[in-house]
Amino acid sequence: MKKSGIPLTLMILLSWFAALAWCDGDIIRSVHVLDLMIRDYTFKSVDKNFKTGTAESVKLPSKLAGISVDTVRFRCGSLTRYGAELKEFHLNVGVTVHPCIERVMLIRQNMGSNWSSIYYSNYDLSGYQLVSPILGLLAYNADQDSNSSNSSINPFQLGIVSGDKPLTIDFTNATKLNEGTPLCASFEGDGRMTVAKASENSPFVCVAKRNGHFGMVVVDSEVDEYNKKPIAQWKVAVGSTIGAALGAFLLGLLLVAMLVRVKKRSRMVEMERRAYEEEALQVSMVGHVRAPTASGTRTTPTLEHEYINSHLN
């Protein structure tokens, strides 16, 4: 009997090591880790003797603020015979729980708009935008472990499969959509997301064959402002600062270019003026001084006595 507990202990330790690999301090990046934390807080907070079939709200710590959790416990046979309803989830008659010994604990999650955003980093939502919070319905074993000395509960995960009628998830009060056609998104445990049309009679009601996590999406071009990824204020501030600095730098380059062009143009005008003056009045060097000189084509001077003799003759 003791040996049977060793693999179970190893499985729990391995799951927590995997969970720690996806945590960075208090930042939770994995939806699987988030499910494990909600499960543990739920089993610790509820009374072990709380009434079967009665839903209870679960109080989560401040680091999980924004997530709404409710839980209820059923006998597996009663759940199959009568079905159940837990907030947005409706389980029709004929649902089965695998594997189930006697009791099952259902945990309903509403991730809210903030926590739902981590699904963007865990699933490929290319071309789609969430227009509702993620709603989850998970099932765990609620039977006491007979191999444990203190008769504690071993909360391993169970699966719920619908019968003739599917499970339904009502997003009427959870979706804020101004325009566009809502589609039902199912987030599988293997990292895949599947999209399907909503119910024909109710555009905000989704159907499913098994439990899991669900949301409503629209194609990216139709999304409204409800659940666009929020931009952190520090990113806006840094972007504005960089943009202002780049603008100032480009403006400075433009001013420098204008000054250089004006100075170059002034220099060309001065050179043309000097060339014109030197062409009209030649300049020669007298010692170390530039001095203007007359042209060499002046009339030859005539002596006075030569002028008198020419007139006497």
Side-chain angles (χ1 to χ4, degrees), residues 31 119 121-125 186-194:
V31 295
Y119 277 73
S121 58
N122 285 260
Y123 293 87
D124 183 12
L125 275 78
S186 175
F187 300 92
E188 308 295 337
D190 57 0
R192 293 182 300 109
M193 182 191 74
T194 58

Side-chain angles (χ1 to χ4, degrees), residues 65-309:
I67 301 177
S68 174
V69 174
D70 295 273
T71 185
V72 62
R73 186 172 59 182
F74 292 103
R75 290 183 179 273
C76 296
S78 297
L79 184 61
T80 301
R81 287 192 297 271
Y82 304 109
E85 188 168 341
L86 182 58
K87 293 290 185 176
E88 301 88 355
F89 293 90
H90 182 77
L91 285 67
N92 287 294
V93 175
V95 297
T96 55
V97 182
H98 300 284
C100 184
I101 301 174
E102 185 176 359
R103 293 180 178 85
V104 57
M105 179 86 80
L106 301 183
I107 297 179
R108 167 263 183 192
Q109 309 167 345
N110 185 332
M111 297 300 181
S113 58
N114 291 334
W115 285 98
S116 296
S117 61
I118 70 172
Y119 277 73
Y120 285 103
S121 58
N122 285 260
Y123 293 87
D124 183 12
L125 275 78
S126 301
Y128 297 97
Q129 286 280 358
L130 285 168
V131 291
S132 78
I134 299 297
L135 300 180
L137 180 67
L138 299 180
Y140 297 96
N141 172 56
D143 293 314
Q144 294 181 347
D145 189 357
S146 60
N147 295 326
S148 177
S149 59
N150 58 359
S151 299
S152 61
I153 296 176
N154 175 22
F156 56 86
Q157 190 166 357
L158 308 176
I160 299 177
V161 180
S162 65
D164 295 335
K165 294 182 178 180
L167 285 69
T168 60
I169 310 99
D170 189 355
F171 286 92
T172 302
N173 297 324
T175 303
K176 295 182 180 180
L177 181 66
N178 295 326
E179 58 183 8
T181 304
L183 301 172
C184 296
S186 175
F187 300 92
E188 308 295 337
D190 57 0
R192 293 182 300 109
M193 182 191 74
T194 58
V195 178
K197 292 183 179 180
S199 174
E200 295 181 358
N201 300 326
S202 303
F204 298 109
V205 175
C206 298
V207 297
K209 293 183 178 180
R210 62 185 68 249
N211 66 306
H213 294 88
F214 309 91
M216 299 214 79
V217 299
V218 296
V219 293
D220 202 17
S221 59
E222 297 178 344
V223 70
D224 66 304
E225 299 296 327
Y226 170 65
N227 259 330
K228 285 187 177 180
K229 292 183 181 179
I231 301 176
Q233 292 184 356
W234 69 268
K235 292 183 179 180
V236 176
V238 171
S240 301
T241 303
I242 294 176
L246 183 60
F249 176 74
L250 294 176
L251 182 60
L253 288 179
L254 180 61
L255 291 175
V256 170
M258 292 177 64
L259 290 174
V260 170
R261 184 170 182 176
V262 170
K263 189 174 182 179
K264 186 176 181 180
R265 185 175 181 83
S266 299
R267 185 180 300 175
M268 292 295 296
V269 171
E270 179 66 17
M271 292 176 63
E272 291 175 359
R273 184 184 65 82
R274 289 184 178 182
Y276 178 79
E277 292 178 353
E278 290 179 357
E279 183 179 356
L281 184 63
Q282 295 184 2
V283 178
S284 62
M285 295 297 295
V286 180
H288 297 285
V289 180
R290 294 167 58 92
T293 58
S295 174
T297 59
R298 295 176 63 186
T299 304
T300 305
T302 304
L303 296 178
E304 184 177 352
H305 67 276
E306 293 179 353
Y307 177 77
I308 297 172
N309 291 333

